Amino acid sequence: MTAEDPHADKYNDPRVQITRRGIAIAIGVGLFGIAGAAVSIVGRSTQLEKTSQFWGEKTILALQLGERLELRPRGNETFAPLDLSGSSGLGHLRRLLLDERNFDWTSQSEGKALGQCGEPVPRKPRCIQIHLTDPTANRFDVIQIDLDLQTGWTGPSTGQNRVKLLERTLPKLRKYFETKITMRELRQAAQKD
């Protein structure tokens, strides 16, 4: 004995009508969604035109694909070099240094990025160097980028040119590097205990 489905009338309701207006609304909503997604993708993509001119193609390649990324002290800094390869937040750091919207291009000038670095403060680096290498694939030579986390100047370690980071970007970098150095020191202290 088969029981009748008590909701059979809900599956094929004769009151529902598919009209041209309904189809047009559905197509309009779909196209609006596609256009919104396209605008979102374009708006979030990394803009590289000015950074490519400033850093050069080899540095852009190193920032995008570099296998090893190491943080090194410059000036009077006293922290030990720190390997950042594979660490959390590394993708954000790479994007921050690649995207042209993070720099004040009116400040671009010749000269070194690092000035007078002053006395070091524990766990608060000021003058640092990002050392990029690619030991497995050897797609580029060693790339070194200097950063002054107080003034915001950055540029190649060769000292040929420099540009300032935007004021909204600088605190993010400071916090990132302070956190990495502090976490390493805390891990080392815990291992000694």
Side-chain angles (χ1 to χ4, degrees):
M1 183 168 155
T2 50
E4 275 192 43
D5 186 357
H7 301 290
D9 62 330
K10 305 253 190 283
Y11 301 132
N12 194 9
D13 192 342
R15 294 175 293 176
V16 175
Q17 295 181 10
I18 299 174
T19 64
R20 289 180 188 232
R21 180 176 177 224
I23 292 172
I25 289 172
I27 290 173
V29 168
L31 291 175
F32 183 73
I34 291 170
V39 167
S40 174
I41 289 169
V42 169
R44 291 184 303 144
S45 66
T46 305
Q47 296 180 11
L48 295 173
E49 185 179 335
K50 290 180 182 176
T51 49
S52 293
Q53 292 170 1
F54 178 77
W55 293 117
E57 293 304 319
K58 289 182 181 178
T59 302
I60 295 295
L61 180 68
L63 286 168
Q64 291 173 331
L65 304 175
E67 180 182 344
R68 288 188 48 85
L69 193 143
E70 188 175 62
L71 178 64
R72 294 184 172 181
R74 295 284 281 170
N76 297 328
E77 296 294 337
T78 57
F79 66 90
L82 175 62
D83 185 11
L84 297 175
S85 305
S87 66
S88 61
L90 186 57
H92 295 293
L93 174 64
R94 289 178 191 264
R95 183 182 167 115
L96 191 142
L97 293 172
L98 285 168
D99 198 326
E100 66 186 34
R101 294 172 287 193
N102 293 319
F103 300 93
D104 176 8
W105 294 106
T106 61
S107 69
Q108 186 175 348
S109 61
E110 292 183 7
K112 295 181 179 183
L114 302 180
Q116 176 61 26
C117 293
E119 288 302 312
V121 177
R123 297 185 182 167
K124 295 204 179 282
R126 174 174 173 183
C127 294
I128 60 172
Q129 180 185 75
I130 297 174
H131 185 85
L132 296 145
T133 57
D134 195 36
T136 305
N138 292 316
R139 292 171 281 207
F140 56 87
D141 294 328
V142 173
I143 300 293
Q144 297 173 329
I145 298 171
D146 285 343
L147 277 161
D148 185 332
L149 295 173
Q150 184 171 342
T151 63
W153 286 108
T154 186
S157 292
T158 56
Q160 59 202 26
N161 56 0
R162 63 187 183 167
V163 67
K164 267 193 167 185
L165 291 157
L166 293 177
E167 287 299 320
R168 66 177 169 80
T169 306
L170 199 51
K172 297 173 189 175
L173 273 176
R174 278 189 205 121
K175 188 66 173 170
Y176 176 77
F177 293 122
E178 287 173 16
T179 302
K180 293 299 177 187
I181 290 171
T182 301
M183 292 305 296
R184 184 196 43 198
E185 289 178 4
L186 291 175
R187 274 193 306 270
Q188 289 174 344
Q191 289 173 352
K192 289 180 184 178
D193 291 342

